[in-house]
């Protein structure tokens, strides 16, 4: 479900510049210490979030992005 809701969504709607971590592409990144594909509760505990190339959360710190 996570993969379908993320990078596959860009393919479905025909947005070839989204959903990939690659030069010239756009992607929001979320990282977890636990594997959310194996431990569903881990989805609530993201340790790193990057949106539009800016870090918005790193461990316990939340950053403004405007």
């Amino acid at each position: 479900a996570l993969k379908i809701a993320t990078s596959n969504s860009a393919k479905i709607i025909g947005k070839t510049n989204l959903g990939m971590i690659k030069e010239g592409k756009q992607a929001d990144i979320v990282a977890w210490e636990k594997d959310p594909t194996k431990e569903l509760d881990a989805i609530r505990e993201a340790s790193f979030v990057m949106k539009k190339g800016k870090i918005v959360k790193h461990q316990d710190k939340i950053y403004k992005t405007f």
Side-chain angles (χ1 to χ4, degrees):
L2 286 173
K3 188 163 183 144
I4 290 169
T6 56
S7 59
N8 284 343
S9 295
K11 289 179 188 176
I12 290 168
I13 63 171
K15 298 287 185 175
T16 58
N17 65 321
L18 301 175
M20 299 174 104
I21 302 172
K22 188 175 181 183
E23 187 175 344
K25 306 285 183 176
Q26 292 181 11
D28 298 335
I29 302 168
V30 180
W32 295 271
E33 291 190 28
K34 298 177 185 174
D35 185 348
T37 65
K38 294 182 179 159
E39 298 181 49
L40 192 54
D41 288 341
I43 196 88
R44 297 181 185 146
E45 301 173 7
S47 61
F48 178 85
V49 179
M50 180 178 272
K51 181 154 182 75
K52 295 184 179 180
K54 296 185 182 198
I55 297 171
V56 295
K57 181 180 190 281
H58 185 248
Q59 297 173 348
D60 293 329
K61 294 181 182 178
I62 307 285
Y63 302 93
K64 293 182 180 179
T65 60
F66 40 125

